[in-house]
Amino acid sequence: MNLKILVLPGDGIGVEVTREAVKVLRHVAEASGHTITLSEGLLGGIAIHKTGTPFPEETQKLALEADATFLGAVGLPEFDSAPPEKRPERGLLGIRKTLQVYANLRPVRSYKALIDSSPLKNELVDGTDLIIVRELTGGLYYGTPRGISGTGPEERAVNTMTYTRSEIERVTHMAFQLAMKRRKKVTSVDKSNVLENSQLWRRVVIEVAAHYPDVALDHILVDNCAMQLVLTPKRFDVVLTENLFGDILSDEAAVLAGSIGMLPSASIGAQRPSGAWVGLYEPVHGSAPDIAGQNKANPLGAIGSIAAMLEYSFGLTAEANAVYKAIEGVLDSGRVTADLKPKGAPATTSEVGDAICQAVAVLESRK
Ligand code: IPM
Ligand code: MN
């Protein structure tokens, strides 16, 4: 199989974690007899610096041509006071919309080896295995009207939270189909006690759920969900929610995994005739400018995103599982970065990448 992949390292630690992710990808492809055609593009702050825009047309073209896109991270502090349309993050929103990847899957699980890395009590986190399905191309992130107008005390800012029935339906189907392959439970998160938007959300979710009689559905208000995630995380299987709620809850859920550096994500939407998903794969952590360039960022979220790419966009389940297994092996070996609070000296970003490649090689040799 030939895998045609666009790589967008982006900004900050995006560059370092991408290097390790690509290293692992090349390694797995070689070990399993697949060829890869990689192209590299600009997105985010680096794209603004080099071309004047966060999502250059060239990147757009490359993304549409690729089978899958890998992204490191975007965001640079020098753009902190720039208006939204001139910020690196706008590039990310642009590529998500261009690829129509409306469902962002963010799995969160506790690893035995990391049970002490979470500040939460061991018995509370142990056994956590949930997946957040975050709607990714609608809601407040894209709604219009938006903007800041007026002056003085009348200066006013507007954002619009908007969802159509069909936008809710498609992501809900995705969540239920995932649940069918898991523990068959969907928890839909909303704020229907206040927002009309959430009232429509809940109504449509209930309607779609009727197509999946084997899956249990419950609803939870977003404020309570934030609390339950750290009180009773094991009650969750598939957590379905809109864009902004999903953004916030997934950072919170990262505490369960031990570090946000652990979380991978897969954003999918359209399906090719072969059944493969057109996908955008990115770790959940951001560009972390404070530690950028120091070779200490955790690359496992990025490497896990490569595994997700192999699984969803290429249907290479065995190869994906080899990477997931390698991640567990490396965690068990204790060769992890500082964010995971290792007992000995922390490993560097590139050492963790190398360790994953070695672990994959060992699995491969046992075949
Ligand atoms: C994420 C990030 C992005 C988001 C930012 C960088 C625009 O926080 O992927 O969670 O809010 O979606
Ligand atoms: Mn986020």
mmCIF file of all heavy atoms in Angstrom, residues 306-358:
data_model
loop_
_atom_site.group_PDB
_atom_site.id
_atom_site.type_symbol
_atom_site.label_atom_id
_atom_site.label_comp_id
_atom_site.label_asym_id
_atom_site.label_seq_id
_atom_site.Cartn_x
_atom_site.Cartn_y
_atom_site.Cartn_z
ATOM 1 N N ILE A 306 -0.559 9.126 14.951
ATOM 2 C CA ILE A 306 -0.101 8.356 13.778
ATOM 3 C C ILE A 306 -0.783 6.979 13.774
ATOM 4 O O ILE A 306 -1.241 6.502 12.729
ATOM 5 C CB ILE A 306 1.441 8.183 13.807
ATOM 6 C CG1 ILE A 306 2.138 9.514 13.515
ATOM 7 C CG2 ILE A 306 1.903 7.076 12.848
ATOM 8 C CD1 ILE A 306 2.000 10.021 12.093
ATOM 9 N N ALA A 307 -0.876 6.381 14.960
ATOM 10 C CA ALA A 307 -1.563 5.085 15.059
ATOM 11 C C ALA A 307 -3.023 5.237 14.617
ATOM 12 O O ALA A 307 -3.557 4.412 13.867
ATOM 13 C CB ALA A 307 -1.485 4.557 16.484
ATOM 14 N N ALA A 308 -3.650 6.335 15.070
ATOM 15 C CA ALA A 308 -5.045 6.576 14.680
ATOM 16 C C ALA A 308 -5.159 6.749 13.168
ATOM 17 O O ALA A 308 -6.109 6.275 12.541
ATOM 18 C CB ALA A 308 -5.581 7.807 15.403
ATOM 19 N N MET A 309 -4.178 7.393 12.564
ATOM 20 C CA MET A 309 -4.169 7.574 11.107
ATOM 21 C C MET A 309 -4.094 6.229 10.393
ATOM 22 O O MET A 309 -4.838 5.956 9.436
ATOM 23 C CB MET A 309 -2.966 8.440 10.714
ATOM 24 C CG MET A 309 -2.761 8.577 9.219
ATOM 25 S SD MET A 309 -1.176 9.377 8.816
ATOM 26 C CE MET A 309 -1.529 11.073 9.177
ATOM 27 N N LEU A 310 -3.199 5.363 10.875
ATOM 28 C CA LEU A 310 -3.063 4.037 10.268
ATOM 29 C C LEU A 310 -4.395 3.288 10.356
ATOM 30 O O LEU A 310 -4.826 2.625 9.420
ATOM 31 C CB LEU A 310 -1.953 3.246 10.969
ATOM 32 C CG LEU A 310 -0.531 3.814 10.797
ATOM 33 C CD1 LEU A 310 0.443 3.143 11.762
ATOM 34 C CD2 LEU A 310 -0.050 3.649 9.348
ATOM 35 N N GLU A 311 -5.048 3.455 11.499
ATOM 36 C CA GLU A 311 -6.301 2.750 11.738
ATOM 37 C C GLU A 311 -7.454 3.305 10.894
ATOM 38 O O GLU A 311 -8.101 2.574 10.154
ATOM 39 C CB GLU A 311 -6.635 2.854 13.233
ATOM 40 C CG GLU A 311 -7.936 2.206 13.642
ATOM 41 C CD GLU A 311 -8.209 2.356 15.155
ATOM 42 O OE1 GLU A 311 -7.308 2.776 15.912
ATOM 43 O OE2 GLU A 311 -9.345 2.042 15.553
ATOM 44 N N TYR A 312 -7.701 4.601 10.993
ATOM 45 C CA TYR A 312 -8.906 5.160 10.357
ATOM 46 C C TYR A 312 -8.725 5.462 8.872
ATOM 47 O O TYR A 312 -9.624 5.227 8.077
ATOM 48 C CB TYR A 312 -9.348 6.439 11.069
ATOM 49 C CG TYR A 312 -9.839 6.211 12.475
ATOM 50 C CD1 TYR A 312 -9.107 6.642 13.571
ATOM 51 C CD2 TYR A 312 -11.043 5.557 12.708
ATOM 52 C CE1 TYR A 312 -9.546 6.432 14.864
ATOM 53 C CE2 TYR A 312 -11.501 5.344 13.997
ATOM 54 C CZ TYR A 312 -10.752 5.784 15.069
ATOM 55 O OH TYR A 312 -11.200 5.579 16.345
ATOM 56 N N SER A 313 -7.582 6.057 8.502
ATOM 57 C CA SER A 313 -7.457 6.475 7.107
ATOM 58 C C SER A 313 -6.925 5.372 6.205
ATOM 59 O O SER A 313 -7.118 5.418 5.004
ATOM 60 C CB SER A 313 -6.572 7.719 6.987
ATOM 61 O OG SER A 313 -7.313 8.869 7.330
ATOM 62 N N PHE A 314 -6.212 4.392 6.794
ATOM 63 C CA PHE A 314 -5.625 3.368 5.937
ATOM 64 C C PHE A 314 -6.118 1.960 6.266
ATOM 65 O O PHE A 314 -5.748 0.998 5.592
ATOM 66 C CB PHE A 314 -4.089 3.445 5.994
ATOM 67 C CG PHE A 314 -3.576 4.778 5.511
ATOM 68 C CD1 PHE A 314 -3.017 5.698 6.391
ATOM 69 C CD2 PHE A 314 -3.684 5.135 4.170
ATOM 70 C CE1 PHE A 314 -2.579 6.935 5.938
ATOM 71 C CE2 PHE A 314 -3.248 6.369 3.707
ATOM 72 C CZ PHE A 314 -2.694 7.279 4.598
ATOM 73 N N GLY A 315 -6.919 1.836 7.307
ATOM 74 C CA GLY A 315 -7.449 0.520 7.674
ATOM 75 C C GLY A 315 -6.365 -0.468 8.078
ATOM 76 O O GLY A 315 -6.579 -1.685 8.025
ATOM 77 N N LEU A 316 -5.188 0.047 8.469
ATOM 78 C CA LEU A 316 -4.070 -0.838 8.843
ATOM 79 C C LEU A 316 -4.115 -1.121 10.345
ATOM 80 O O LEU A 316 -3.319 -0.601 11.128
ATOM 81 C CB LEU A 316 -2.731 -0.192 8.444
ATOM 82 C CG LEU A 316 -2.563 0.066 6.933
ATOM 83 C CD1 LEU A 316 -1.285 0.861 6.660
ATOM 84 C CD2 LEU A 316 -2.531 -1.269 6.174
ATOM 85 N N THR A 317 -5.059 -1.949 10.737
ATOM 86 C CA THR A 317 -5.296 -2.191 12.161
ATOM 87 C C THR A 317 -4.104 -2.839 12.846
ATOM 88 O O THR A 317 -3.757 -2.470 13.970
ATOM 89 C CB THR A 317 -6.528 -3.104 12.345
ATOM 90 O OG1 THR A 317 -7.398 -2.869 11.250
ATOM 91 C CG2 THR A 317 -7.249 -2.808 13.606
ATOM 92 N N ALA A 318 -3.468 -3.808 12.187
ATOM 93 C CA ALA A 318 -2.339 -4.497 12.825
ATOM 94 C C ALA A 318 -1.196 -3.514 13.071
ATOM 95 O O ALA A 318 -0.592 -3.499 14.159
ATOM 96 C CB ALA A 318 -1.861 -5.649 11.940
ATOM 97 N N GLU A 319 -0.914 -2.668 12.084
ATOM 98 C CA GLU A 319 0.158 -1.685 12.227
ATOM 99 C C GLU A 319 -0.181 -0.679 13.328
ATOM 100 O O GLU A 319 0.665 -0.318 14.144
ATOM 101 C CB GLU A 319 0.384 -0.946 10.898
ATOM 102 C CG GLU A 319 1.057 -1.771 9.814
ATOM 103 C CD GLU A 319 0.094 -2.710 9.063
ATOM 104 O OE1 GLU A 319 -1.066 -2.888 9.507
ATOM 105 O OE2 GLU A 319 0.509 -3.266 8.032
ATOM 106 N N ALA A 320 -1.454 -0.258 13.349
ATOM 107 C CA ALA A 320 -1.881 0.679 14.392
ATOM 108 C C ALA A 320 -1.717 0.036 15.767
ATOM 109 O O ALA A 320 -1.190 0.648 16.701
ATOM 110 C CB ALA A 320 -3.332 1.092 14.168
ATOM 111 N N ASN A 321 -2.138 -1.217 15.877
ATOM 112 C CA ASN A 321 -2.028 -1.887 17.173
ATOM 113 C C ASN A 321 -0.580 -2.042 17.615
ATOM 114 O O ASN A 321 -0.281 -1.994 18.809
ATOM 115 C CB ASN A 321 -2.721 -3.250 17.133
ATOM 116 C CG ASN A 321 -4.230 -3.085 17.168
ATOM 117 O OD1 ASN A 321 -4.735 -2.061 17.612
ATOM 118 N ND2 ASN A 321 -4.949 -4.083 16.675
ATOM 119 N N ALA A 322 0.318 -2.243 16.653
ATOM 120 C CA ALA A 322 1.740 -2.345 17.006
ATOM 121 C C ALA A 322 2.206 -1.041 17.654
ATOM 122 O O ALA A 322 2.954 -1.054 18.636
ATOM 123 C CB ALA A 322 2.575 -2.658 15.761
ATOM 124 N N VAL A 323 1.733 0.084 17.125
ATOM 125 C CA VAL A 323 2.129 1.375 17.721
ATOM 126 C C VAL A 323 1.500 1.537 19.107
ATOM 127 O O VAL A 323 2.175 1.940 20.065
ATOM 128 C CB VAL A 323 1.759 2.562 16.799
ATOM 129 C CG1 VAL A 323 2.131 3.891 17.455
ATOM 130 C CG2 VAL A 323 2.441 2.419 15.438
ATOM 131 N N TYR A 324 0.210 1.199 19.218
ATOM 132 C CA TYR A 324 -0.431 1.308 20.544
ATOM 133 C C TYR A 324 0.305 0.431 21.568
ATOM 134 O O TYR A 324 0.553 0.840 22.709
ATOM 135 C CB TYR A 324 -1.909 0.883 20.485
ATOM 136 C CG TYR A 324 -2.807 1.797 19.666
ATOM 137 C CD1 TYR A 324 -3.666 1.289 18.692
ATOM 138 C CD2 TYR A 324 -2.804 3.178 19.880
ATOM 139 C CE1 TYR A 324 -4.504 2.127 17.944
ATOM 140 C CE2 TYR A 324 -3.628 4.021 19.138
ATOM 141 C CZ TYR A 324 -4.474 3.492 18.175
ATOM 142 O OH TYR A 324 -5.294 4.319 17.448
ATOM 143 N N LYS A 325 0.677 -0.759 21.155
ATOM 144 C CA LYS A 325 1.393 -1.679 22.053
ATOM 145 C C LYS A 325 2.759 -1.125 22.419
ATOM 146 O O LYS A 325 3.206 -1.212 23.566
ATOM 147 C CB LYS A 325 1.606 -3.028 21.338
ATOM 148 C CG LYS A 325 0.553 -4.060 21.597
ATOM 149 C CD LYS A 325 1.251 -5.439 21.774
ATOM 150 C CE LYS A 325 0.329 -6.470 22.375
ATOM 151 N NZ LYS A 325 -0.498 -7.130 21.359
ATOM 152 N N ALA A 326 3.445 -0.550 21.415
ATOM 153 C CA ALA A 326 4.766 0.033 21.659
ATOM 154 C C ALA A 326 4.665 1.170 22.671
ATOM 155 O O ALA A 326 5.525 1.318 23.551
ATOM 156 C CB ALA A 326 5.368 0.534 20.345
ATOM 157 N N ILE A 327 3.597 1.950 22.573
ATOM 158 C CA ILE A 327 3.418 3.049 23.533
ATOM 159 C C ILE A 327 3.313 2.476 24.947
ATOM 160 O O ILE A 327 3.983 2.935 25.878
ATOM 161 C CB ILE A 327 2.164 3.898 23.184
ATOM 162 C CG1 ILE A 327 2.399 4.666 21.874
ATOM 163 C CG2 ILE A 327 1.823 4.860 24.325
ATOM 164 C CD1 ILE A 327 1.202 5.461 21.356
ATOM 165 N N GLU A 328 2.517 1.426 25.095
ATOM 166 C CA GLU A 328 2.388 0.817 26.428
ATOM 167 C C GLU A 328 3.720 0.281 26.930
ATOM 168 O O GLU A 328 4.077 0.452 28.099
ATOM 169 C CB GLU A 328 1.357 -0.315 26.398
ATOM 170 C CG GLU A 328 -0.032 0.236 26.535
ATOM 171 C CD GLU A 328 -1.076 -0.854 26.807
ATOM 172 O OE1 GLU A 328 -0.831 -1.728 27.654
ATOM 173 O OE2 GLU A 328 -2.124 -0.792 26.151
ATOM 174 N N GLY A 329 4.455 -0.367 26.008
ATOM 175 C CA GLY A 329 5.751 -0.921 26.389
ATOM 176 C C GLY A 329 6.709 0.159 26.866
ATOM 177 O O GLY A 329 7.393 0.001 27.889
ATOM 178 N N VAL A 330 6.750 1.250 26.141
ATOM 179 C CA VAL A 330 7.656 2.339 26.516
ATOM 180 C C VAL A 330 7.225 2.964 27.843
ATOM 181 O O VAL A 330 8.058 3.282 28.701
ATOM 182 C CB VAL A 330 7.759 3.386 25.376
ATOM 183 C CG1 VAL A 330 8.466 4.643 25.850
ATOM 184 C CG2 VAL A 330 8.476 2.776 24.174
ATOM 185 N N LEU A 331 5.930 3.104 28.036
ATOM 186 C CA LEU A 331 5.452 3.630 29.323
ATOM 187 C C LEU A 331 5.895 2.701 30.456
ATOM 188 O O LEU A 331 6.383 3.145 31.496
ATOM 189 C CB LEU A 331 3.926 3.768 29.321
ATOM 190 C CG LEU A 331 3.343 4.844 28.407
ATOM 191 C CD1 LEU A 331 1.816 4.814 28.443
ATOM 192 C CD2 LEU A 331 3.834 6.236 28.797
ATOM 193 N N ASP A 332 5.731 1.396 30.235
ATOM 194 C CA ASP A 332 6.132 0.420 31.261
ATOM 195 C C ASP A 332 7.624 0.505 31.553
ATOM 196 O O ASP A 332 8.065 0.285 32.681
ATOM 197 C CB ASP A 332 5.783 -1.011 30.819
ATOM 198 C CG ASP A 332 4.273 -1.252 30.854
ATOM 199 O OD1 ASP A 332 3.576 -0.480 31.554
ATOM 200 O OD2 ASP A 332 3.796 -2.178 30.177
ATOM 201 N N SER A 333 8.405 0.801 30.513
ATOM 202 C CA SER A 333 9.862 0.840 30.702
ATOM 203 C C SER A 333 10.310 2.079 31.467
ATOM 204 O O SER A 333 11.450 2.172 31.905
ATOM 205 C CB SER A 333 10.567 0.822 29.335
ATOM 206 O OG SER A 333 10.518 2.127 28.764
ATOM 207 N N GLY A 334 9.405 3.051 31.612
ATOM 208 C CA GLY A 334 9.746 4.253 32.370
ATOM 209 C C GLY A 334 10.556 5.278 31.586
ATOM 210 O O GLY A 334 10.942 6.309 32.138
ATOM 211 N N ARG A 335 10.802 5.014 30.306
ATOM 212 C CA ARG A 335 11.545 6.007 29.504
ATOM 213 C C ARG A 335 10.572 7.049 28.975
ATOM 214 O O ARG A 335 10.177 7.010 27.814
ATOM 215 C CB ARG A 335 12.251 5.306 28.338
ATOM 216 C CG ARG A 335 13.441 4.479 28.800
ATOM 217 C CD ARG A 335 13.719 3.377 27.825
ATOM 218 N NE ARG A 335 14.522 3.823 26.691
ATOM 219 C CZ ARG A 335 14.699 3.080 25.600
ATOM 220 N NH1 ARG A 335 14.124 1.904 25.475
ATOM 221 N NH2 ARG A 335 15.469 3.517 24.636
ATOM 222 N N VAL A 336 10.195 7.966 29.832
ATOM 223 C CA VAL A 336 9.174 8.944 29.468
ATOM 224 C C VAL A 336 9.640 10.370 29.772
ATOM 225 O O VAL A 336 10.574 10.575 30.547
ATOM 226 C CB VAL A 336 7.837 8.659 30.198
ATOM 227 C CG1 VAL A 336 7.266 7.316 29.777
ATOM 228 C CG2 VAL A 336 8.005 8.720 31.719
ATOM 229 N N THR A 337 8.965 11.314 29.168
ATOM 230 C CA THR A 337 9.342 12.723 29.329
ATOM 231 C C THR A 337 8.905 13.273 30.689
ATOM 232 O O THR A 337 8.107 12.659 31.398
ATOM 233 C CB THR A 337 8.700 13.562 28.196
ATOM 234 O OG1 THR A 337 7.344 13.137 28.024
ATOM 235 C CG2 THR A 337 9.464 13.387 26.891
ATOM 236 N N ALA A 338 9.421 14.465 31.000
ATOM 237 C CA ALA A 338 9.257 15.050 32.331
ATOM 238 C C ALA A 338 7.797 15.231 32.761
ATOM 239 O O ALA A 338 7.480 15.089 33.945
ATOM 240 C CB ALA A 338 9.967 16.402 32.376
ATOM 241 N N ASP A 339 6.901 15.520 31.801
ATOM 242 C CA ASP A 339 5.493 15.739 32.156
ATOM 243 C C ASP A 339 4.884 14.515 32.833
ATOM 244 O O ASP A 339 3.915 14.631 33.577
ATOM 245 C CB ASP A 339 4.675 16.113 30.909
ATOM 246 C CG ASP A 339 4.803 15.083 29.794
ATOM 247 O OD1 ASP A 339 5.924 14.627 29.529
ATOM 248 O OD2 ASP A 339 3.767 14.721 29.203
ATOM 249 N N LEU A 340 5.455 13.330 32.582
ATOM 250 C CA LEU A 340 4.899 12.105 33.173
ATOM 251 C C LEU A 340 5.572 11.745 34.501
ATOM 252 O O LEU A 340 5.327 10.683 35.059
ATOM 253 C CB LEU A 340 4.998 10.949 32.170
ATOM 254 C CG LEU A 340 4.163 11.166 30.895
ATOM 255 C CD1 LEU A 340 4.405 10.053 29.889
ATOM 256 C CD2 LEU A 340 2.676 11.256 31.229
ATOM 257 N N LYS A 341 6.379 12.650 34.973
ATOM 258 C CA LYS A 341 7.036 12.501 36.284
ATOM 259 C C LYS A 341 7.712 11.140 36.465
ATOM 260 O O LYS A 341 7.378 10.367 37.374
ATOM 261 C CB LYS A 341 6.021 12.723 37.419
ATOM 262 C CG LYS A 341 5.306 14.063 37.307
ATOM 263 C CD LYS A 341 4.353 14.267 38.489
ATOM 264 C CE LYS A 341 3.465 15.470 38.296
ATOM 265 N NZ LYS A 341 2.423 15.279 37.254
ATOM 266 N N PRO A 342 8.693 10.820 35.613
ATOM 267 C CA PRO A 342 9.380 9.530 35.756
ATOM 268 C C PRO A 342 10.196 9.474 37.061
ATOM 269 O O PRO A 342 10.542 10.528 37.596
ATOM 270 C CB PRO A 342 10.317 9.500 34.552
ATOM 271 C CG PRO A 342 10.529 10.929 34.188
ATOM 272 C CD PRO A 342 9.265 11.658 34.543
ATOM 273 N N LYS A 343 10.437 8.252 37.524
ATOM 274 C CA LYS A 343 11.191 8.113 38.781
ATOM 275 C C LYS A 343 12.639 8.538 38.573
ATOM 276 O O LYS A 343 13.232 9.205 39.403
ATOM 277 C CB LYS A 343 11.100 6.672 39.281
ATOM 278 C CG LYS A 343 9.660 6.324 39.629
ATOM 279 C CD LYS A 343 9.539 5.274 40.727
ATOM 280 C CE LYS A 343 8.082 5.100 41.151
ATOM 281 N NZ LYS A 343 7.217 4.531 40.092
ATOM 282 N N GLY A 344 13.237 8.112 37.427
ATOM 283 C CA GLY A 344 14.614 8.493 37.138
ATOM 284 C C GLY A 344 14.666 9.785 36.335
ATOM 285 O O GLY A 344 13.729 10.570 36.345
ATOM 286 N N ALA A 345 15.790 9.962 35.619
ATOM 287 C CA ALA A 345 15.923 11.156 34.793
ATOM 288 C C ALA A 345 14.937 11.076 33.623
ATOM 289 O O ALA A 345 14.752 10.008 33.050
ATOM 290 C CB ALA A 345 17.344 11.242 34.250
ATOM 291 N N PRO A 346 14.311 12.203 33.294
ATOM 292 C CA PRO A 346 13.353 12.167 32.189
ATOM 293 C C PRO A 346 14.029 11.908 30.844
ATOM 294 O O PRO A 346 15.178 12.296 30.639
ATOM 295 C CB PRO A 346 12.711 13.561 32.205
ATOM 296 C CG PRO A 346 13.520 14.399 33.110
ATOM 297 C CD PRO A 346 14.388 13.520 33.944
ATOM 298 N N ALA A 347 13.323 11.244 29.947
ATOM 299 C CA ALA A 347 13.822 11.030 28.596
ATOM 300 C C ALA A 347 13.531 12.273 27.756
ATOM 301 O O ALA A 347 12.660 13.071 28.100
ATOM 302 C CB ALA A 347 13.130 9.817 27.980
ATOM 303 N N THR A 348 14.273 12.419 26.665
ATOM 304 C CA THR A 348 14.006 13.538 25.765
ATOM 305 C C THR A 348 12.939 13.125 24.748
ATOM 306 O O THR A 348 12.627 11.938 24.609
ATOM 307 C CB THR A 348 15.273 13.935 24.990
ATOM 308 O OG1 THR A 348 15.673 12.817 24.188
ATOM 309 C CG2 THR A 348 16.413 14.319 25.933
ATOM 310 N N THR A 349 12.460 14.106 24.024
ATOM 311 C CA THR A 349 11.457 13.854 22.974
ATOM 312 C C THR A 349 11.977 12.814 21.990
ATOM 313 O O THR A 349 11.289 11.840 21.659
ATOM 314 C CB THR A 349 11.162 15.177 22.224
ATOM 315 O OG1 THR A 349 10.856 16.186 23.181
ATOM 316 C CG2 THR A 349 10.009 15.023 21.241
ATOM 317 N N SER A 350 13.226 13.019 21.525
ATOM 318 C CA SER A 350 13.748 12.109 20.498
ATOM 319 C C SER A 350 14.054 10.727 21.067
ATOM 320 O O SER A 350 13.902 9.725 20.364
ATOM 321 C CB SER A 350 14.967 12.718 19.803
ATOM 322 O OG SER A 350 15.808 13.338 20.727
ATOM 323 N N GLU A 351 14.441 10.660 22.341
ATOM 324 C CA GLU A 351 14.657 9.328 22.951
ATOM 325 C C GLU A 351 13.355 8.534 23.014
ATOM 326 O O GLU A 351 13.348 7.321 22.782
ATOM 327 C CB GLU A 351 15.254 9.471 24.363
ATOM 328 C CG GLU A 351 16.754 9.775 24.341
ATOM 329 C CD GLU A 351 17.289 10.247 25.700
ATOM 330 O OE1 GLU A 351 16.502 10.411 26.664
ATOM 331 O OE2 GLU A 351 18.519 10.460 25.782
ATOM 332 N N VAL A 352 12.268 9.223 23.321
ATOM 333 C CA VAL A 352 10.988 8.512 23.368
ATOM 334 C C VAL A 352 10.610 8.013 21.970
ATOM 335 O O VAL A 352 10.174 6.873 21.794
ATOM 336 C CB VAL A 352 9.865 9.399 23.974
ATOM 337 C CG1 VAL A 352 8.514 8.702 23.891
ATOM 338 C CG2 VAL A 352 10.195 9.750 25.426
ATOM 339 N N GLY A 353 10.844 8.857 20.960
ATOM 340 C CA GLY A 353 10.571 8.432 19.581
ATOM 341 C C GLY A 353 11.392 7.207 19.209
ATOM 342 O O GLY A 353 10.873 6.239 18.623
ATOM 343 N N ASP A 354 12.674 7.229 19.562
ATOM 344 C CA ASP A 354 13.547 6.077 19.271
ATOM 345 C C ASP A 354 13.056 4.829 20.005
ATOM 346 O O ASP A 354 13.054 3.727 19.452
ATOM 347 C CB ASP A 354 14.996 6.374 19.708
ATOM 348 C CG ASP A 354 15.639 7.449 18.829
ATOM 349 O OD1 ASP A 354 15.130 7.677 17.712
ATOM 350 O OD2 ASP A 354 16.629 8.066 19.273
ATOM 351 N N ALA A 355 12.670 5.020 21.272
ATOM 352 C CA ALA A 355 12.207 3.877 22.069
ATOM 353 C C ALA A 355 10.963 3.241 21.444
ATOM 354 O O ALA A 355 10.819 2.013 21.430
ATOM 355 C CB ALA A 355 11.920 4.328 23.509
ATOM 356 N N ILE A 356 10.092 4.078 20.909
ATOM 357 C CA ILE A 356 8.883 3.536 20.250
ATOM 358 C C ILE A 356 9.287 2.724 19.018
ATOM 359 O O ILE A 356 8.780 1.612 18.792
ATOM 360 C CB ILE A 356 7.908 4.679 19.858
ATOM 361 C CG1 ILE A 356 7.358 5.388 21.093
ATOM 362 C CG2 ILE A 356 6.774 4.144 18.972
ATOM 363 C CD1 ILE A 356 6.331 4.625 21.899
ATOM 364 N N CYS A 357 10.226 3.254 18.236
ATOM 365 C CA CYS A 357 10.674 2.515 17.037
ATOM 366 C C CYS A 357 11.271 1.163 17.434
ATOM 367 O O CYS A 357 10.981 0.141 16.802
ATOM 368 C CB CYS A 357 11.707 3.326 16.250
ATOM 369 S SG CYS A 357 10.998 4.780 15.472
ATOM 370 N N GLN A 358 12.075 1.166 18.478
ATOM 371 C CA GLN A 358 12.658 -0.096 18.944
ATOM 372 C C GLN A 358 11.576 -1.067 19.391
ATOM 373 O O GLN A 358 11.614 -2.253 19.068
ATOM 374 C CB GLN A 358 13.606 0.147 20.133
ATOM 375 C CG GLN A 358 14.990 0.627 19.728
ATOM 376 C CD GLN A 358 15.715 1.277 20.915
ATOM 377 O OE1 GLN A 358 15.391 1.007 22.074
ATOM 378 N NE2 GLN A 358 16.670 2.141 20.617
#
